[in-house]
Amino acid sequence: MAAEIHPRPQTRKPVLLSKIEGFQDVVNTAVIIPKEDGVISVSQDRTIRVWLKRDSGQYWPSVFHTMPVACSCMSFNPETRRISVGLENGTVSEFVLSEDYNQMTPARTYQAHQGGVTVVLFVLEMEWVLSTGQDKSFTWHCSESGQQLGTYRTTAWVSGLQFDVETRHAFVGDHSGQVTILKLEQDNCSMVTTFKGHTGNVTALCWDPVQRVLFSGSSDHSIIMWDIGGRKGTAIELQGHNDKVQGLCYAPHTRQLISCGSDGGMVIWNMDVTRQETPEWLDSDSCQKCEQPFFWNFKQMWDSKKIGLRQHHCRKCGQAVCGKCSSKRSTIPLMGFEFEVRVCDSCHDSITDEERAPTATFHDSKHSIVHMQYEPTRGWLLTSGTDKIIKLWDMTPVVS
């Protein structure tokens, strides 16, 4: 008699809806058009394209416009149908789309930067166009007059930008790993504060105005959640990527964070749990468990006639320990460690199965992601990759 097979229940995962192909180079930015079956893309191949879904189910370009130089970034405002496109020659070009998305009319050009534009952001409430560039500057223009209102010099090339309309705070992330908060006025700005937690470039920023929390992603593979509104200086680390983080989006209705990376990973983080800060790493000349000297502690090595050991740190308690006293590995999801990390033996024994329960789900996009955008009304996610392909995903099975 054959054994009865009980199939394992399928784990919920994103559903690939469509692929958009035909680009000559990488798509640097693309957005889903809300309430339309459409996508707007700007590419390294110098094109701006508006893709509409046809009766065949395929996306075809209704607008195909070639710029004089490569398009590096883009901001789209659905209410005004205005596209602000950052170019590699430092200019920002604005266009207005027709109601049927079949025509695109040039509106204005801003001479914004001396180097390539890295991020552009149109703020309808202020009628401002914010932009950052490779020239280490942040500028903002009046979209009605075209006049430059102000500029701020940054310490490094800026790669992340978010804006809070209520407080007029701009969050600027740069290649040194630093995030700067600026208070913008009509014709000037002041630096509020800076904070740094990444060892690599800041590659993505995401601001949640309701919880007043800023998320930053980095080339060091990590994400940090900065509690701006709490005024306690809390910074929570999330470790779930094997390569640089390329995009972040927060879904406030479900309190989930979506992150995408160069490793092709799409990670859904449950932020509706009480998370813990990672401890500061302690300094010591000897193991804080067995007291064996570390290899630079010549005096203790000589006195005890023992060979110096290499120093490690427990990710849970932060103590300096030797390899023998930290031979075990564990996940610590509430501290953001979804992958197994080094912990000392006593911490390993203290971590319960409940504390090891994952707080994130991991999904493979099957391409190295350079950009992502989440459209919350339908629960769709757009990813563009180094393979020159745009993918559209239904995220409702996992963002719910």
Side-chain angles (χ1 to χ4, degrees):
M1 179 175 156
E4 187 179 352
I5 298 173
H6 296 281
R8 290 184 179 180
Q10 288 289 312
T11 55
R12 300 202 297 178
K13 59 183 181 179
V15 177
L16 180 61
L17 300 172
S18 297
K19 289 183 185 180
I20 301 176
E21 301 174 281
F23 298 96
Q24 301 302 309
D25 212 328
V26 173
V27 177
N28 287 321
T29 310
V31 296
I32 299 165
I33 304 172
K35 301 175 184 176
E36 294 281 342
D37 273 329
V39 168
I40 305 168
S41 66
V42 300
S43 171
Q44 199 69 23
D45 66 9
R46 301 190 292 130
T47 63
I48 303 171
R49 308 187 202 192
V50 179
W51 304 81
L52 297 180
K53 193 174 184 179
R54 305 304 183 188
D55 292 338
S56 63
Q58 298 294 310
Y59 285 83
W60 288 91
S62 61
V63 172
F64 188 109
H65 183 82
T66 303
M67 299 297 288
V69 295
C71 307
S72 51
C73 54
M74 181 247 301
S75 176
F76 173 62
N77 181 262
E79 292 177 50
T80 58
R81 300 186 305 282
R82 186 185 312 202
I83 308 174
S84 308
V85 181
L87 303 176
E88 288 205 338
N89 63 4
T91 63
V92 174
S93 295
E94 280 194 341
F95 302 86
V96 177
L97 286 166
S98 60
E99 286 188 37
D100 61 4
Y101 291 97
N102 283 310
Q103 281 187 307
M104 189 172 75
T105 308
R108 193 183 295 280
T109 298
Y110 308 90
Q111 300 298 325
H113 298 277
Q114 299 300 311
V117 183
T118 53
V119 189
V120 63
L121 202 59
F122 172 63
V123 184
L124 177 62
E125 294 85 349
M126 314 301 302
E127 292 289 350
W128 286 351
V129 177
L130 315 180
S131 63
T132 60
Q134 293 177 356
D135 58 355
K136 302 180 183 178
S137 73
F138 162 71
T139 65
W140 66 108
H141 289 76
C142 174
S143 62
E144 292 181 308
S145 67
Q147 189 175 5
Q148 181 173 304
L149 300 175
T151 186
Y152 179 85
R153 297 291 296 175
T154 57
T155 55
W157 175 12
V158 177
S159 43
L161 175 64
Q162 291 281 278
F163 184 72
D164 181 57
V165 174
E166 185 183 336
T167 62
R168 297 189 184 183
H169 283 146
F171 304 93
V172 181
D174 65 38
H175 268 223
S176 73
Q178 179 173 286
V179 177
T180 303
I181 302 181
L182 302 172
K183 171 76 170 180
L184 298 194
E185 301 297 345
Q186 191 63 31
D187 55 1
N188 65 74
C189 77
S190 55
M191 197 268 285
V192 178
T193 188
T194 61
F195 42 92
K196 187 172 181 178
H198 293 291
T199 56
N201 314 337
V202 174
T203 50
L205 289 178
C206 175
W207 170 246
D208 173 32
V210 178
Q211 302 289 329
R212 307 205 65 75
V213 165
L214 181 72
F215 298 94
S216 61
S218 172
S219 60
D220 65 10
H221 312 176
S222 74
I223 300 162
I224 299 178
M225 181 183 82
W226 308 89
D227 183 6
I228 307 295
R231 300 182 182 276
K232 295 178 182 177
T234 308
I236 303 294
E237 283 188 53
L238 303 173
Q239 303 277 354
H241 286 278
N242 292 310
D243 207 334
K244 67 179 174 181
V245 179
Q246 292 284 47
L248 297 168
C249 183
Y250 185 66
H253 58 295
T254 60
R255 298 200 67 179
Q256 289 171 292
L257 177 72
I258 306 167
S259 64
C260 294
S262 295
D263 56 1
M266 301 187 292
V267 185
I268 318 300
W269 304 86
N270 177 12
M271 303 309 295
D272 198 21
V273 293
T274 304
R275 293 188 176 273
Q276 304 162 19
E277 283 190 278
T278 52
E280 292 286 337
W281 284 5
L282 302 176
D283 291 324
S284 180
D285 291 329
S286 57
C287 175
Q288 293 181 298
K289 295 295 182 181
C290 68
E291 299 184 352
Q292 285 266 74
F294 293 132
F295 65 83
W296 62 84
N297 188 352
F298 298 117
K299 185 179 185 305
Q300 189 179 342
M301 286 163 59
W302 178 264
D303 292 345
S304 63
K305 301 295 189 291
K306 290 179 178 176
I307 297 172
L309 304 174
R310 185 182 169 191
Q311 184 191 64
H312 301 281
H313 283 91
C314 172
R315 300 306 192 270
K316 190 170 192 300
C317 67
Q319 288 192 318
V321 288
C322 68
K324 189 178 178 181
C325 293
S326 59
S327 60
K328 296 176 181 177
R329 303 289 183 273
S330 177
T331 59
I332 322 173
L334 293 179
M335 280 189 170
F337 296 115
E338 293 288 338
F339 303 150
E340 289 193 336
V341 290
R342 182 185 294 273
V343 290
C344 67
D345 293 353
S346 56
C347 280
H348 185 274
D349 295 339
S350 72
I351 301 171
T352 63
D353 290 342
E354 189 177 323
E355 290 175 314
R356 288 191 178 93
T359 61
T361 60
F362 297 83
H363 312 279
D364 185 8
S365 69
K366 292 186 165 50
H367 66 165
S368 178
I369 295 170
V370 297
H371 169 78
M372 64 159 275
Q373 186 246 344
Y374 180 64
E375 207 283 288
T377 55
R378 278 176 290 185
W380 284 15
L381 181 76
L382 177 151
T383 61
S384 65
T386 54
D387 56 3
K388 307 172 192 174
I389 295 173
I390 291 174
K391 295 183 180 182
L392 294 173
W393 306 85
D394 179 5
M395 301 298 285
T396 53
V398 288
V399 181
S400 60

